[in-house]
Amino acid sequence: MTRTLVIGGGPAGLAAAWAAAQSGQAVTLLDDNPALGGQIWRGDIPARYRRFLDPRITVQTGVQIHSASQLPPADRIILATGTRELFLPFPGWTLPHVLGAGGLQALVKGGLPIAGKRVVVAGSGPLLLAVAAYLRRRGAKILLVAEQAPYPRIAAFTRGLWRHPAKLLEAAQLGFGLRYRPDSWPLRADPGSVTLQGHGVLRCDYLACGFGLVVNTELPELLGCRVENGRVLTDADQRTTVPHIFFAGAGSVDRSLLEGQIAGFGPERGRALHAARAAAVAFDRCIDIAFALRSELLSLTTPETIVCRCEDVPFGAIWPHRDWRSAKLQTRCGMGPCQGRICGPALAHLCGWPAASVRPPIFPTRLENLLDLRD
């Protein structure tokens, strides 16, 4: 029996594990969260997707992979490592009331009181509406959803939604009653407030900010998979450049579910889903075009603005360097607990630097874990 290891318990990982189990494979699913669902569902898996919780799948939660040596033996490995939010630094972005859009949503799901709090949601992409709608349901007062993309692009994208009635309905439901303004972005944050382009100062309890998503490519890179422009290269069957390793989940939920099933089923059964995946990929490209980051965002950072929050490195200490390696060696930028997951993508946008090479451990870990690997 084929042994399949799935790493990641979000939509793509769940779909991959289910498809592999349906195909008669012996499946083990690993995830670093205490419950399955990934960052988007966080243990609250929608009813229509609970079929993916196949009892034949061996599930291990709370497992963090920080080295290739940790992986159990497997004939096939499906990586569904998901995405994280992109942060772009601006003056005041490190203040306590400034959080990631998805991060604030996760904190509220974990019990953070939000009822009655004044919240500004800012940045770019469809995630902003989803977060704002969720926070409002939990009692937050949403002052504004500030979208950096210009109005003509948002209007063109909205007009194109008539081809996707379900998505048009979803967008209308999420945005109903919200103040949504294109051509608006954070200029600076001060204690208890944010200054927005075109809106001036808004007093708020929280600024939930996110400028899109970054694919988590650290583990694929560590395993030798080829990555270009922040994307893991795969073929039509989701196979990476390492023959027994597959990758799924680099876009929207719909696309992630399809990619996961294609990777899990394998070439024969997965081929039937190729057309649906192509449609999902095309829709994601429309999103990328509509919400592409504008050049004005690159000029928000001042020399005093902290870029690496872990090591308190200001932008003025980084910009004289020619590349990421030089900045890292001279300033310790990217050497803190997040290992460059926040400042790395930000500097890729600000300076055009490609990501630094990946070395284990890819997550902070206890010394005893490294000793276990040596043994």
Side-chain angles (χ1 to χ4, degrees):
M1 180 180 291
T2 301
R3 297 170 299 175
T4 297
L5 175 66
V6 180
I7 300 177
L14 287 171
W18 171 82
Q22 292 289 308
S23 300
Q25 303 167 42
V27 185
T28 299
L29 172 61
L30 307 181
D31 191 71
D32 62 348
N33 290 304
L36 297 176
Q39 296 301 319
I40 190 167
W41 291 334
R42 298 188 70 83
D44 186 19
I45 300 172
R48 64 183 180 277
Y49 298 126
R50 288 177 190 164
R51 70 181 187 278
F52 292 146
L53 302 175
D54 193 306
R56 293 171 293 181
I57 301 170
T58 300
V59 176
Q60 297 181 33
T61 57
V63 177
Q64 191 173 69
I65 303 296
H66 55 74
S67 171
S69 305
Q70 284 180 283
L71 299 181
D75 302 304
R76 303 173 74 240
I77 298 175
I78 302 175
L79 303 176
T81 48
T83 59
R84 61 183 183 271
E85 289 183 285
L86 171 65
F87 297 91
L88 293 182
F90 53 86
W93 76 298
T94 59
L95 289 171
H97 74 296
V98 182
L99 301 169
L104 179 57
Q105 183 181 31
L107 288 173
V108 173
K109 287 184 176 182
L112 178 71
I114 198 68
K117 301 293 185 181
R118 300 165 300 172
V119 179
V120 173
V121 181
S124 191
L127 177 64
L128 301 186
L129 275 181
V131 169
Y134 175 82
L135 297 178
R136 184 174 59 176
R137 290 197 301 270
R138 298 298 295 267
K141 183 179 180 182
I142 306 299
L143 303 180
L144 185 72
V145 178
E147 167 59 58
Q148 62 84 39
Y151 177 80
R153 277 202 261 130
I154 298 298
F157 176 75
T158 304
R159 287 194 298 270
L161 286 180
W162 68 268
R163 302 183 185 90
H164 310 274
K167 296 185 182 298
L168 178 60
L169 177 61
E170 181 183 12
Q173 291 173 336
L174 291 175
F176 181 77
L178 290 172
R179 290 185 64 201
Y180 182 86
R181 297 293 182 270
D183 289 300
S184 183
W185 59 90
L187 297 174
R188 64 174 297 112
D190 294 288
S193 71
V194 58
T195 302
L196 295 169
Q197 172 68 28
H199 290 273
V201 179
L202 287 179
R203 302 290 300 177
C204 61
D205 298 298
Y206 291 106
L207 168 60
C209 202
F211 291 91
L213 298 174
V214 178
V215 180
N216 294 320
T217 63
E218 291 81 9
L219 185 55
E221 287 186 78
L222 195 65
L223 295 175
C225 304
R226 188 175 176 183
V227 175
E228 289 185 357
N229 299 319
R231 299 283 178 174
V232 180
L233 296 186
T234 60
D235 64 11
D237 300 316
Q238 300 300 136
R239 189 189 307 271
T240 70
T241 52
V242 179
H244 71 291
I245 299 179
F246 300 75
F247 184 85
S252 61
V253 173
D254 291 345
R255 176 179 171 183
S256 297
L257 292 169
L258 290 164
E259 288 182 349
Q261 291 177 76
I262 291 171
F265 280 136
E268 292 185 6
R269 294 185 63 181
R271 192 170 295 115
L273 300 173
H274 285 189
R277 180 192 53 194
V281 169
F283 185 77
D284 281 3
R285 286 174 181 160
C286 292
I287 292 177
D288 292 340
I289 293 171
F291 297 99
L293 299 181
R294 62 200 306 152
S295 60
E296 291 92 329
L297 298 175
L298 303 180
S299 62
L300 298 179
T301 308
T302 67
E304 298 76 24
T305 303
I306 295 294
V307 173
C308 177
R309 300 189 298 186
C310 297
E311 297 292 331
D312 290 331
V313 182
F315 186 58
I318 293 174
W319 69 262
H321 295 279
R322 65 184 183 277
D323 56 31
W324 173 262
R325 177 177 175 80
S326 174
K328 185 175 182 179
L329 290 174
Q330 299 299 321
T331 69
R332 291 189 56 82
C333 181
M335 297 181 70
C338 89
Q339 290 292 287
R341 283 175 174 78
I342 303 299
C343 57
L347 287 173
H349 281 267
L350 293 172
C351 304
W353 293 347
S357 59
V358 176
R359 294 180 296 177
I362 57 176
F363 293 104
T365 187
R366 294 179 180 272
L367 181 59
E368 62 186 297
N369 292 333
L370 299 180
L371 293 174
D372 288 342
L373 292 178
R374 183 194 64 186
D375 293 340

